[in-house]
C-alpha cells in the first residue's frame, strides 16, 4: 500500500469518520487516493475557512478527530483562522496539506503558492497546532503519522501533516497503533481525588462547573454520574452551553457573570467549593464575573493537571480523574433533575421581531417538532442561543470568530446525519453563508435563521458612533432560493412563527428564514453582557 492509503487507513483506525477538503495541484494525488479508495467519505466545500470550521464541528460532535484536507499555500493559509479557533477551543482537527515534492524544490525557481520560504506554512501552522510533520522520509512516516494522530487525541488540539505530492504513491509500511492512555501516577491520582472529595465535603455551597473538555474527551456520561455521586448542583460555562444535554443532572444553567441569571451568578461566585472540571479560564467564561472568583479557593482540572488552591497535581488527565472519583464515591439517590424555564409561547401579533422573540419561537418549534442540534455564529445570535432550550450547541464561545455558523452546521450534519439549526447574523452570513450552495450535492437540509439587522450590531453596542457598522439590507431569502434552498423573509412575530413551522415541516432542502430586526435591538443576554463589559472596563480603566 502507498503512503496515502496508509494514512487514510490509520485515520480511520484512530476513529476519524470523514474528510472535509478542497484540492489543489499539490494535493491532487492525495485527493485521488481519498476518492478512489473511499476509505473515508470526502466532502468538498467552496472556501477553505469552511473546510476548517466544518471539521472543527464534526470533531466536537464525535469527540474524536476530523480531517481538513487542503492544498499547499493558498489553501492552507486560507484555513489558519479556523485552525486557530480549533486550537483555542481544544477541537481535535487533523490538517492534511499537499506539499511541494523534491522535484518542485530543486528547480531553483520560486514555487507557486510559496510564501516567504518553502517551509513558511509549516512555521505558521506550528503556532496553531500541537504537533506537525512533513512526510519526507517514508521509512519514518508510519511512526510520525501515529505520533501526530495520537497527540491530536491526547491533547485534543489540531495537528498538521504535510504530504509532498511526490511521496503519496510511494510504498509505505502500516502505521502502528499507539496506546491512547497517558501515564498517570497512581499515588498522585489517589491523593488528588482524596483531596478533591474532602474539600467538596467540607464546603458549605459546592458547585460543579463543567467546560468543553468533558465533551472533547467524551466524558459527559461519566461526569453526569460524578455530579450525582457528589450530589451538588452543576453549571456550565458560556463555552460549555449544551454540555450534559439529555443527562439526568441537577443542571442550574449557564454561568455568565453579570450577563447571566442573577441567582446562578451569586451561587457560583459565592461558592466556597467551586469545582471547575474541563473549564478553560477564558475571558468569555469569566471576564464579567460580578465578584472576582477567587481561583485560590477553586479546584481546576483542565489541560491534564489539577490545581487546588496554591498547589497543582501535574499529569492528571481528566479522564483518569473522573473515573477515579467515580470509583471512590458511593452512589447517591438521584435528586430532582432541574429544568429551567425558557421563553415560550410567542405572541402571534404583527409587531416587529426582537432577538429574544427568535429564541421563544424556536422553543415553541422544539416543543412541536423535537429539539435540533444548534450551530451558532459569533454575534447576537450566540447570546440569543442562551435563551433557547438546552440542546447540543457548537459555537466559537471563546475564540469568537465569525463565519463559524453555516460551515459548522454543515459539518454537524455530515458527521451525525442530524438536521442542524444554524443561527447566524447578517454580517457573519456574508462571510461563509454561501457554503449553503453545497447542501444540494450532499442532501443536507439545515434550518438557517439569519438575524438580519443590517448591522454589525455587537460592534455598534460598544462604539455606536461608527457608521461603518451600518450594513446594506440584503435579501438573503432570494439568495437561498437561488442556490437550492427555500428562503422566507419575515418582519413580524406572527410571520416568524408561520415561517418556522414551514421550515421545520419541509425537509426537502435547506430552509433559510431571513428575520428582519431593527438596528440597535439586542437580546437580553447580549444587553447584560455589553453592560457588564462596560462596567468592567470602567472599573479597570486607569483613573
Ligand atoms: N472578523 C471575524 C472573522 N470575527 C470577528 N469576531 C470579527 C471580525 C469582529 C466582530 C465581532 S461581532 C462583529 C464583528 C465584525 C459583528 C457581527 O455582525 P453580525 O454577524 O451581523 O452579528 P450581530 O449583528 O448580531 O452583531 C466580535 C466582537 O469580535
Ligand atoms: Mg448583524
Amino acid at each position: 500500500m502507498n503512503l496515502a492509503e496508509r494514512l487514510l487507513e490509520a485515520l480511520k483506525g484512530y476513529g476519524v469518520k470523514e474528510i472535509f477538503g478542497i484540492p489543489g495541484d499539490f494535493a491532487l494525488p492525495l485527493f485521488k487516493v481519498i476518492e478512489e479508495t473511499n476509505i473515508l467519505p470526502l466532502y468538498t466545500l467552496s472556501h477553505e475557512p469552511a473546510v476548517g470550521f466544518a471539521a472543527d464541528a464534526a470533531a466536537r460532535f464525535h469527540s474524536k478527530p476530523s480531517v481538513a484536507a487542503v492544498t499547499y499555500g493558498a489553501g492552507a493559509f486560507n484555513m489558519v483562522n479556523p485552525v486557530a479557533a480549533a486550537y483555542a477551543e481544544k477541537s481535535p482537527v487533523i490538517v492534511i496539506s499537499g506539499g511541494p515534492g523534491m522535484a518542485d524544490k530543486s528547480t531553483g525557481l520560486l514555487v507557486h503558492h510559496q510564501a516567504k520560504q518553502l517551509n513558511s506554512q509549516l512555521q505558521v501552522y506550528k503556532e496553531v497546532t500541537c504537533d506537525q510533520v512533513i512526510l519526507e522520509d517514508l521509512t519514518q512516516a508510519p511512526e510520525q503519522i501515529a505520533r501526530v494522530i495520537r497527540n491530536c487525541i491526547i491533547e485534543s488540539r489540531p495537528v498538521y501533516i504535510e504530504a509532498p505530492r511526490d511521496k503519496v504513491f510511494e510504498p509505505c509500511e502500516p502505521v502502528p497503533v499507539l496506546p491512547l492512555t497517558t501515564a498517570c501516577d497512581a499515588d498522585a491520582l489517589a491523593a488528588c481525588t482524596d483531596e478533591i472529595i474532602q474539600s467538596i465535603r467540607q464546603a458549605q455551597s459546592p458547585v460543579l462547573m463543567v467546560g468543553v473538555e468533558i465533551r472533547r474527551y467524551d466524558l459527559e456520561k461519566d461526569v453526569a454520574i460524578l455530579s450525582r455521586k457528589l450530589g451538588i448542583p452543576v453549571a456550565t460555562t458560556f463555552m460549555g452551553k449544551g454540555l450534559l444535554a439529555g443527562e439526568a443532572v441537577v443542571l442550574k444553567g449557564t454561568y455568565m457573570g453579570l450577563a447571566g441569571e442573577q441567582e446562578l451568578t451569586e451561587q457560583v461566585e459565592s461558592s466556597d467549593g467551586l469545582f471547575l472540571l474541563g473549564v478553560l479560564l477564558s475571558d468569555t467564561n469569566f471576564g464579567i464575573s460580578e465578584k472576582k472568583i477567587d481561583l485560590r479557593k477553586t479546584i481546576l482540572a483542565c489541560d491534564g493537571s489539577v490545581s487546588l488552591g496554591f498547589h497543582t497535581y501535574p499529569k492528571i488527565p481528566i479522564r483518569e480523574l473522573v473515573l477515579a472519583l467515580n470509583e471512590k464515591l458511593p452512589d447517591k439517590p438521584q435528586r430532582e433533575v432541574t429544568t429551567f424555564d425558557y421563553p415560550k409561547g410567542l405572541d402571534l401579533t404583527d409587531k416587529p421581531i426582537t432577538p429574544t422573540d427568535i429564541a421563544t419561537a424556536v422553543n415553541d418549534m422544539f416543543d412541536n417538532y423535537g429539539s435540533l442540534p444548534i450551530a451558532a455564529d459569533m454575534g447576537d445570535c450566540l447570546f440569543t442561543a442562551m435563551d433557547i432550550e438546552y440542546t447540543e450547541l457548537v459555537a466559537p464561545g471563546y475564540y469568537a470568530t465569525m463565519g463559524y455558523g453555516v460551515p459548522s452546521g454543515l459539518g454537524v450534519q455530515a458527521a451525525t446525519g442530524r438536521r442542524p439549526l444554524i443561527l447566524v447574523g447578517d454580517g457573519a452570513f456574508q462571510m461563509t453563508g454561501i457554503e449553503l450552495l453545497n447542501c444540494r450535492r450532499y442532501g443536507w437540509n439545515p434550518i438557517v435563521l439569519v438575524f438580519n439587522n443590517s448591522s454589525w450590531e455587537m460592534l455598534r453596542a460598544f462604539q455606536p458612533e461608527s457608521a461603518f457598522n451600518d450594513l446594506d439590507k440584503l435579501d438573503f431569502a432570494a439568495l437561498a432560493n437561488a442556490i437550492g434552498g427555500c428562503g422566507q423573509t419575515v418582519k413580524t412575530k406572527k410571520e416568524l412563527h408561520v415561517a418556522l413551522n414551514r421550515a421545520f415541516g419541509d425537509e426537502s432542502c435547506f430552509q433559510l428564514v431571513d428575520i428582519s430586526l431593527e438596528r440597535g435591538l439586542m437580546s437580553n443576554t447580549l444587553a447584560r453582557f455589553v453592560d457588564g463589559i462596560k462596567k468592567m472596563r470602567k472599573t479597570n480603566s486607569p483613573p
Side-chain angles (χ1 to χ4, degrees):
M1 284 170 85
N2 64 38
L3 171 65
E5 289 162 335
R6 291 299 190 196
L7 174 58
L8 293 168
E9 185 188 57
L11 291 168
K12 187 168 187 175
Y14 277 99
V16 170
K17 294 280 188 293
E18 69 284 300
I19 296 173
F20 300 93
I22 297 177
D25 63 322
F26 288 108
L28 279 177
L30 174 66
F31 276 71
K32 175 182 172 66
V33 177
I34 292 171
E35 182 174 81
E36 291 175 1
T37 61
N38 200 27
I39 293 171
L40 289 169
L42 168 65
Y43 301 103
T44 57
L45 296 172
S46 305
H47 193 204
E48 286 85 358
V51 170
F53 289 137
D56 171 308
R60 294 187 193 205
F61 262 78
H62 289 317
S63 299
K64 288 194 184 335
S66 187
V67 170
V70 288
T71 193
Y72 175 77
F77 283 125
N78 247 348
M79 201 168 67
V80 173
N81 180 51
V83 178
Y87 187 91
E89 303 202 3
K90 299 208 72 173
S91 182
V93 171
I94 298 176
V95 176
I96 301 180
S97 174
M102 285 318 289
D104 302 300
K105 293 177 182 175
S106 51
T107 61
L109 300 172
L110 293 171
V111 177
H112 67 283
H113 288 335
Q114 169 185 341
K116 192 173 184 181
Q117 309 285 347
L118 278 172
N119 73 341
S120 293
Q121 179 171 304
L122 171 67
Q123 296 310 317
V124 166
Y125 269 90
K126 278 182 177 175
E127 289 305 307
V128 291
T129 57
C130 69
D131 198 354
Q132 315 81 22
V133 67
I134 300 181
L135 301 172
E136 286 163 330
D137 175 351
L138 292 207
T139 60
Q140 296 182 42
E143 283 65 28
Q144 289 170 330
I145 293 169
R147 181 201 82 217
V148 169
I149 296 175
R150 179 179 184 276
N151 285 337
C152 177
I153 295 168
I154 297 291
E155 296 199 33
S156 190
R157 301 263 194 197
V159 293
Y160 174 82
I161 298 174
E162 186 174 319
R165 63 175 163 182
D166 60 352
K167 300 287 182 188
V168 166
F169 297 127
E170 281 197 15
C172 181
E173 290 302 307
V175 175
V177 179
L178 300 178
L180 295 177
T181 49
T182 39
C184 176
D185 179 286
D187 294 340
L189 181 60
C192 179
T193 48
D194 284 345
E195 191 174 348
I196 289 174
I197 293 169
Q198 188 191 12
S199 70
I200 287 178
R201 282 188 175 145
Q202 283 169 353
Q204 299 302 313
S205 56
V207 174
L208 173 63
M209 185 184 288
V210 295
V212 293
E213 278 198 346
I214 73 163
R215 174 111 206 192
R216 301 292 185 270
Y217 293 100
D218 205 8
L219 287 168
E220 287 178 272
K221 290 206 178 311
D222 303 291
V223 170
I225 293 167
L226 174 62
S227 80
R228 292 195 290 269
K229 283 172 174 268
L230 289 171
I232 62 177
V234 184
T236 77
T237 58
F238 179 56
M239 279 181 73
K241 160 101 183 183
L243 291 173
L244 299 175
E247 297 294 338
V249 293
V250 182
L251 192 59
K252 304 303 258 182
T254 297
Y255 169 73
M256 290 187 66
L258 288 168
E261 205 268 311
Q262 200 47 39
E263 190 189 327
L264 177 59
T265 297
E266 180 52 34
Q267 188 173 15
V268 166
E269 295 182 359
S270 58
S271 169
D272 60 344
L274 185 57
F275 184 7
L276 303 176
L277 185 58
V279 169
L280 301 187
L281 293 184
S282 70
D283 55 2
T284 52
N285 280 341
F286 297 100
I288 51 169
S289 300
E290 190 147 21
K291 281 185 299 197
K292 205 101 194 87
I293 292 180
D294 186 348
L295 293 176
R296 296 170 303 178
K297 290 201 192 102
T298 66
I299 304 161
L300 173 63
C302 182
D303 262 342
S305 68
V306 179
S307 299
L308 294 100
F310 291 104
H311 60 285
T312 297
Y313 292 85
K315 296 191 177 44
I316 303 282
I318 191 169
R319 167 175 298 283
E320 280 71 10
L321 175 71
V322 170
L323 298 182
L325 284 168
N326 281 347
E327 185 77 26
K328 251 179 201 167
L329 287 162
D331 286 333
K332 270 192 180 170
Q334 169 58 37
R335 291 167 58 195
E336 90 292 346
V337 174
T338 47
T339 49
F340 19 104
D341 49 359
Y342 289 99
K344 288 187 181 177
L346 183 66
D347 56 316
L348 306 184
T349 63
D350 293 333
K351 286 184 189 157
I353 302 163
T354 68
T356 305
D357 288 335
I358 299 173
T360 307
V362 167
N363 291 332
D364 293 343
M365 292 301 126
F366 280 7
D367 276 356
N368 292 341
Y369 295 92
S371 66
L372 299 176
I374 296 178
D377 215 300
M378 186 61 204
D380 197 9
C381 62
L382 178 52
F383 293 88
T384 303
M386 298 300 125
D387 283 327
I388 294 178
E389 200 163 302
Y390 209 76
T391 180
E392 290 151 300
L393 167 72
V394 281
Y398 157 44
Y399 185 73
T401 180
M402 287 161 71
Y404 188 85
V406 167
S408 63
L410 303 184
V412 168
Q413 186 150 21
T416 66
R418 294 164 62 193
R419 187 182 205 189
L421 175 68
I422 295 172
L423 310 177
V424 57
D426 58 313
F429 190 90
Q430 293 174 34
M431 292 187 177
T432 56
I434 198 65
E435 293 290 343
L436 289 169
L437 60 79
N438 293 294
C439 287
R440 189 162 48 193
R441 282 196 293 149
Y442 295 116
W444 296 331
N445 61 353
I447 297 174
V448 185
L449 307 188
V450 181
F451 290 51
N452 191 353
N453 49 21
S454 59
S455 164
W456 283 334
E457 198 55 38
M458 263 195 83
L459 300 188
R460 186 194 308 280
F462 291 105
Q463 195 166 299
E465 68 274 21
S466 298
F468 54 62
N469 291 317
D470 299 347
L471 302 181
D472 191 359
K473 187 77 175 176
L474 300 172
D475 183 350
F476 296 104
L479 176 68
N481 292 322
I483 58 173
C486 169
Q488 302 178 74
T489 303
V490 294
K491 294 183 177 15
T492 69
K493 299 176 198 276
K494 187 174 176 186
E495 287 173 358
L496 174 61
H497 178 80
V498 171
L500 284 186
N501 253 319
R502 181 177 162 195
F504 273 75
D506 179 354
E507 297 189 351
S508 63
C509 63
F510 79 81
Q511 301 288 322
L512 184 144
V513 182
D514 181 345
I515 305 169
S516 292
L517 296 166
E518 276 169 50
R519 277 184 189 153
L521 273 184
M522 281 188 273
S523 65
N524 304 334
T525 309
L526 179 57
R528 291 194 300 264
F529 184 81
V530 169
D531 288 347
I533 294 276
K534 286 179 179 171
K535 200 184 281 183
M536 301 303 283
R537 283 180 183 165
K538 202 180 284 177
T539 337
N540 300 338
S541 56

